[in-house]
Each structure stands twice: as C-alpha cells, then as structure tokens.
C-alpha cells in the first residue's frame, strides 16, 4: 500500500512541474493553484509512504517516477520528443524501482 502511495506522490510531483511550466511565471492563476495543490498533496503522500519505506529508497523512487512522468507528459501533451535512448533509460529506472521493492 505504501509503495502505491509513493507512486501517486511521484505522479503528483510531475503535476506540479506542469503547473509551474504552464503558469507563465505565476501569472496564470488556475495553473498556480494546480501546482500548489499537486505539490502539497505530493509531499503529504510522500511523508505517509515514509512510514513503511526507508527514506533513501523512497526519495529515489519518488524522484524517478516524477522525472519519468514529466517526460512522458511533455511528450504526449506538449509535443516534446522522446528518443529510444530515453525510453530505454526509463525502463532501467523502472527495473531499479522494482528491484528496490523486491529487496525491501
């Protein structure tokens, strides 16, 4: 359950990055509100996940999911290209996350 919560926190991390990007230097208020909401919820969920997952593992997974998510979101919604090498590296990140879960 805590790993799923951590996964959601990582997705929300990507959400606040999109919100900041689309807020146009904090002038587009709906995106600012979205960014603040996503950031807050991401940190709350991250802190809940820390009840069962060691902080060193949780932080790596949180960061990896956030970075992968933002790249995928930018590709599908903002037309930024994704190369084969990037997709391969995301697969390696996923394998590392699964490895951390199995070793826990």
């Amino acid at each position: 359950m805590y790993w799923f919560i951590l996964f959601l926190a990582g997705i929300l991390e990507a959400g606040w990055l999109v919100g900041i990007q689309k807020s146009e230097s904090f002038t587009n208020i709906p995106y600012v509100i979205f960014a603040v909401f996503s950031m807050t919820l991401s940190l709350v969920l991250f802190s809940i996940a820390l009840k069962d997952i060691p902080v060193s593992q949780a932080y790596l997974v949180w960061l990896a999911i956030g970075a992968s998510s933002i790249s995928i979101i930018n590709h599908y919604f903002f037309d930024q290209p994704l190369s084969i090498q990037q997709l391969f590296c995301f697969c390696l990140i996923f394998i590392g996350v699964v490895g951390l879960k199995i070793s826990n």
Side-chain angles (χ1 to χ4, degrees):
M1 180 66 175
Y2 289 104
W3 284 94
F4 180 71
I5 291 170
L6 182 61
F7 177 78
L8 290 177
I11 298 292
L12 286 166
E13 181 185 9
W16 70 262
L17 291 170
V18 169
I20 288 174
Q21 177 184 4
K22 299 299 284 180
S23 74
E24 300 169 3
S25 298
F26 297 99
T27 58
N28 194 343
I29 299 303
Y31 283 108
V32 173
I33 293 169
F34 175 74
V36 170
F37 175 77
S38 293
M39 186 183 302
T40 303
L41 192 53
S42 177
L43 289 172
V44 167
L45 291 175
F46 180 73
S47 68
I48 291 170
L50 290 179
K51 290 180 181 178
D52 187 59
I53 304 169
V55 69
S56 59
Q57 290 181 7
Y59 184 67
L60 287 172
V61 171
W62 185 56
L63 224 57
I65 292 169
S68 301
S69 298
I70 194 66
S71 294
I72 292 167
I73 288 168
N74 280 336
H75 174 71
Y76 284 106
F77 295 105
F78 304 117
D79 296 325
Q80 291 184 358
L82 269 179
S83 69
I84 297 297
Q85 293 88 359
Q86 288 171 317
L87 291 174
F88 176 72
C89 290
F90 291 141
C91 288
L92 291 176
I93 290 171
F94 178 73
I95 290 168
V97 168
V98 170
L100 286 173
K101 170 66 174 119
I102 291 170
S103 70
N104 190 6

